[in-house]
């Protein structure tokens, strides 16, 4: 994945609850690198940034809001540790404004 694709993916995690919960699929957290089925995300684990309508879910394992699902990746990369590592490195290598 190129940097622009990764940054767009990171931005989209703030509004991906509907995609994650739309059907059973695999998810992963780009902070703690956990990979898990969407069914493990508790229904009350939904959050909204103040002043925004879209919601996101946080990781059940580390609490970070960096959960991506297979639908987020749209076939551009597999949901695996290598992909999560690539996203992690882009997100945490330098301070960026999202």
């Amino acid at each position: 994945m190129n940097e622009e694709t990764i940054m767009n993916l990171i931005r989209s995690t703030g509004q991906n609850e509907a995609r994650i919960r739309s059907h059973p699929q695999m998810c992963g957290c780009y902070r703690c690198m956990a990979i898990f089925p969407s069914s493990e995300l508790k229904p009350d684990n939904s959050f909204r940034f103040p002043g925004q309508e879209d919601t996101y879910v946080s990781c059940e394992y580390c609490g970070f809001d960096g959960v991506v699902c297979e639908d987020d990746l749209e076939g551009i990369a597999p949901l695996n540790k290598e992909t999560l590592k690539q996203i992690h490195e882009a997100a945490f290598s330098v301070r960026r404004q999202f």
Side-chain angles (χ1 to χ4, degrees):
M1 291 186 293
N2 65 37
E3 186 174 342
E4 181 181 352
T5 300
I6 293 171
M7 298 315 293
N8 288 334
L9 180 62
I10 292 168
R11 285 185 200 98
S12 75
T13 62
Q15 53 196 349
N16 67 352
E17 181 187 27
R19 283 189 304 275
I20 288 173
R21 299 193 193 276
S22 66
H23 59 90
Q25 60 185 311
M26 294 304 291
C27 298
C29 174
Y30 64 81
R31 180 174 179 257
C32 72
M33 306 295 172
I35 296 176
F36 48 88
S38 58
S39 60
E40 288 186 14
L41 294 165
K42 295 181 179 82
D44 62 347
N45 188 3
S46 298
F47 303 94
R48 180 172 290 144
F49 288 111
Q52 294 188 7
E53 293 183 30
D54 294 320
T55 55
Y56 67 92
V57 294
S58 62
C59 177
E60 293 289 341
Y61 299 93
C62 73
F64 187 71
D65 65 344
V67 176
V68 296
C69 64
E70 291 171 314
D71 284 357
D72 289 335
L73 292 170
E74 299 177 327
I76 57 174
L79 181 60
N80 59 28
K81 298 268 186 197
E82 292 171 15
T83 299
L84 293 176
K85 183 179 178 189
Q86 194 176 8
I87 299 168
H88 176 95
E89 288 173 356
F92 297 110
S93 63
V94 291
R95 288 196 176 262
R96 298 180 187 263
Q97 187 173 25
F98 293 102

